[in-house]
């Protein structure tokens, strides 16, 4: 005869074993905790905000480091602005230099995503993009030259004299 | 709430495998989310082919429109197979391929960090874990853990949205006003613009 308390004990032991073997569960919890810590520290630690702002401008020093940050949710983060010019910076002084618009996030998508490519790069003529993102007093500004290529499409050139106040 | 409890009781009485049901429900939700981006996919497919942007920051294969095509359709296919199969090994394999495909979408030049894909990626991570746990005997214990993880992931995604708005430009309303109310052509914003 099987004692019901024995069965219950066996059941609990098996459950405990299962629990201990479930490394995947603990790995996901730890990963979530890591990402949450990063996000919670972002308003207070300028270095984290700097990393994130650079990520938004595709200016992270290396692609693998940039790509590794993709699981960090960043929906509508930072105040991101962009402007698109038909002339290189300094070539023509605009009378009213007020064509800045806000982008919801990742302002470089104005260049890389389908809507921006269609709106700004359908003409097959050179364009200059300026992106500006700010977060709690930190500002990153980046300039890109989209050079039209004879065979179609564009070559993206990062203009070196980027300004930031990180 | 009573109605939900009644449904849960009925499911328990019929001995439905609730973790498996949850797994399948999430796969359906992932598929809906993927095809929610159908217009994005169609336009991206055409525009990326016609207006390529050469940028040395991205590896060549992560700029190619073919990569997005394979990642999108490959992910959709393996999620469908994972949804309907009753073979555990196949389900596990599909869950890995799905997270692989969505990872590519999350780092491709033409679809990177889109919140739909990032959210799907977290759901795929949850699915990989659950696919490997479905064979365990303790369904009630497993479903509680699955529910806990899903709440944790939802909280993280919302935290990500909140942390980045902790800046004066959002508090003043400038950002949201410019993005949504200045000229965005959507019925709700058109209505608000016309009436207020």
């Amino acid at each position: 005869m099987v004692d019901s308390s024995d069965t219950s004990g066996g059941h609990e032991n098996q459950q405990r074993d299962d629990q201990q073997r479930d490394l995947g569960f603990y790995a996901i919890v730890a990963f979530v905790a890591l990402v949450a810590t990063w996000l919670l520290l972002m308003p207070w630690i300028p270095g984290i905000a700097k990393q994130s702002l650079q990520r938004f401008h595709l200016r992270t020093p290396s692609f693998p480091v940039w790509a590794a940050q993709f699981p960090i949710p960043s929906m509508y983060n930072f105040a991101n602005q962009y402007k698109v010019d038909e002339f290189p910076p300094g070539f023509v002084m605009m009378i009213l230099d007020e064509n800045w618009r806000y982008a919801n996030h990742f302002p470089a998508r104005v260049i890389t995503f389908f809507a921006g490519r269609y709106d700004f790069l359908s003409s097959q003529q050179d364009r200059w993009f300026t992106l500006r993102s700010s977060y709690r007093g930190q500002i990153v500004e980046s300039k890109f030259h989209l050079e039209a290529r004879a065979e179609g499409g564009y070559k993206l050139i990062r203009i070196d004299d980027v300004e930031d106040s990180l | 709430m009573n109605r939900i409890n009644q449904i849960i009781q009925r499911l328990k009485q019929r001995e439905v495998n609730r973790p498996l049901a949850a797994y399948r429900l999430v796969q359906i939700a992932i598929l809906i989310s993927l095809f929610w981006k159908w217009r994005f996919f169609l336009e991206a497919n055409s525009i990326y082919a016609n207006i390529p942007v050469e940028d040395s920051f991205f590896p060549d294969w992560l700029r190619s429109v073919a990569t997005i095509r394979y990642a999108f359709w490959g992910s959709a296919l393996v999620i469908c197979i994972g949804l309907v199969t009753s073979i555990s090994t196949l389900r596990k394999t599909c869950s890995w391929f799905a997270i692989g495909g969505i990872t590519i979408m999350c780092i491709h030049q033409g679809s990177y960090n889109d919140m739909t894909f990032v959210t799907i990626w977290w759901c795929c991570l949850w699915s990989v874990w659950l696919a490997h746990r479905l064979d365990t005997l303790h369904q009630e214990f497993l479903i509680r853990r699955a529910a806990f993880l899903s709440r944790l992931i939802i909280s993280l995604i919302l935290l990500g949205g909140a942390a980045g708005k902790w800046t004066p430009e959002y508090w003043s309303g400038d950002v949201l006003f410019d993005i949504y109310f200045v000229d965005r052509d959507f019925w709700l914003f058109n209505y608000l613009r016309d009436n207020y």
Side-chain angles (χ1 to χ4, degrees), chain B residues 22-130:
Chain B
Y23 178 86
R24 288 183 166 153
L25 201 63
V26 168
Q27 304 315 297
I28 291 169
I30 290 175
L31 281 173
I32 291 170
S33 307
L34 258 186
F35 284 95
W36 185 262
K37 305 291 285 186
W38 180 242
R39 188 176 150 264
F40 162 87
F41 179 69
L42 278 186
E43 297 196 27
N45 187 44
S46 148
I47 292 169
Y48 295 167
N50 291 320
I51 315 174
V53 172
E54 186 191 324
D55 176 10
S56 56
F57 183 75
F58 291 91
D60 289 351
W61 68 280
L62 284 174
R63 283 190 276 114
S64 160
V65 67
T67 304
I68 280 201
R69 288 176 191 147
Y70 287 128
F72 185 92
W73 284 111
S75 304
L77 178 68
V78 291
I79 290 165
C80 284
I81 296 170
L83 168 68
V84 296
T85 186
S86 54
I87 304 166
S88 175
T89 313
L90 183 58
R91 189 185 301 120
K92 290 173 191 167
T93 309
C94 286
S95 70
W96 280 108
F97 275 112
I99 200 169
I102 298 298
T103 300
I104 290 170
M105 299 290 284
C106 286
I107 57 173
H108 189 282
Q109 184 198 43
S111 55
Y112 66 86
N113 290 112
D114 184 285
M115 266 319 291
T116 306
F117 299 136
V118 174
T119 307
I120 289 175
W121 185 86
W122 279 99
C123 294
C124 285
L125 185 65
W126 179 92
S127 302
V128 168
W129 165 75
L130 189 57

Side-chain angles (χ1 to χ4, degrees), chain B residues 158-171:
Chain B
L158 295 176
L159 173 67
K165 294 184 186 66
W166 202 258
T167 182
E169 296 88 340
Y170 267 99
W171 302 338

Side-chain angles (χ1 to χ4, degrees), chain A residues 54-61 63 66 108-109 111-113 117 121 131 143-147 149 153-159, chain B residues 51-64 107-110 112:
Chain A
Q54 287 181 335
R55 175 187 171 209
F56 269 43
H57 284 223
L58 303 178
R59 276 178 55 191
T60 308
F63 178 80
W66 176 85
R109 284 188 190 177
I111 304 165
T112 58
F113 269 37
R117 288 195 205 191
L121 301 177
L131 312 178
K143 294 184 173 74
F144 300 90
H145 174 199
L146 270 291
E147 186 183 63
R149 296 187 311 183
Y154 286 82
K155 181 178 172 65
L156 186 150
I157 300 162
R158 287 169 171 75
I159 299 174
Chain B
I51 315 174
V53 172
E54 186 191 324
D55 176 10
S56 56
F57 183 75
F58 291 91
D60 289 351
W61 68 280
L62 284 174
R63 283 190 276 114
S64 160
I107 57 173
H108 189 282
Q109 184 198 43
Y112 66 86

